[in-house]
Amino acid sequence: MDFQPIERASGAFQQSLTAREIGQICRRAFGPAAVAASAVELGTGMYNNVYSVKLAGRAEPVVLRVAPEESRQFRSERHLMRNEYAGQPWLAVIAPLMPQVLAADWSHEVIGRDWMIQTCLDGIPAPEQLGAYPRTAWSAFFRRGAPAVGSRRD
């Protein structure tokens, strides 16, 4: 697997997975024959570790999000990913603008952390491009529930 983690200090809040762990997660989610061809840690997550994972035989990459170990979380942060997952039915009206959950696991059987795999949305993440737009246009961007800046739907 072509694996590109972000190097961090051993005491950093976010801790990268290993290539082996990502492979184990993919097999849990997609079956024993699933092969992760590449995994790139994106670094756009401030809380979760976020990876773009390309699977052999699948045209589109998937997004793997991994919560921090519970011992690294504040009490108020515990199970944020589980809460996000549980709240999705309440967001049905904006479902077309959101990634779909393909797999989620809170068992800690594969790795000692919660994780979720989602579809990858078209476009450029807002934190990477929003600053190029005049600040006066930002409210309209957020008000319309727009897809990522630079996406084909813009």
Side-chain angles (χ1 to χ4, degrees):
M1 171 195 323
D2 176 23
F3 181 52
Q4 299 174 31
I6 294 174
E7 299 297 325
R8 294 183 177 85
S10 61
F13 177 70
Q14 291 180 324
Q15 292 294 310
S16 295
L17 297 180
T18 65
R20 182 176 180 272
E21 289 171 321
I22 291 173
Q24 290 173 319
I25 288 170
C26 290
R27 286 187 293 282
R28 170 64 70 100
F30 301 108
V35 175
S38 69
V40 177
E41 190 168 4
L42 301 177
T44 53
M46 295 174 56
Y47 186 76
N48 300 312
N49 292 82
V50 181
Y51 300 85
S52 174
V53 180
K54 292 184 181 173
L55 298 162
R58 185 182 177 103
E60 298 295 322
V62 295
V63 174
L64 167 62
R65 297 173 53 223
V66 183
E69 294 175 0
E70 286 191 20
S71 63
R72 294 183 175 271
Q73 300 174 31
F74 292 118
R75 177 185 282 181
S76 62
E77 298 171 333
R78 295 254 164 78
H79 304 146
L80 281 177
M81 188 179 292
R82 297 178 195 193
N83 292 336
E84 176 186 339
Y85 180 81
Q88 284 192 334
W90 301 103
L91 302 173
V93 70
I94 60 169
L97 300 173
M98 298 172 46
Q100 295 175 358
V101 175
L102 302 174
D105 191 334
W106 327 128
S107 72
H108 295 197
E109 291 176 357
V110 179
I111 60 171
R113 298 157 67 176
D114 291 351
W115 55 266
M116 185 166 26
I117 297 176
Q118 298 174 292
T119 56
C120 185
L121 297 178
D122 287 338
I124 299 168
E128 292 179 17
Q129 198 65 35
L130 190 57
Y133 286 74
R135 188 137 181 108
T136 56
W138 288 20
S139 62
F141 171 83
F142 289 109
R143 185 173 38 255
R144 76 173 197 230
V149 172
S151 76
R152 289 181 232 162
R153 290 191 261 170
D154 269 357

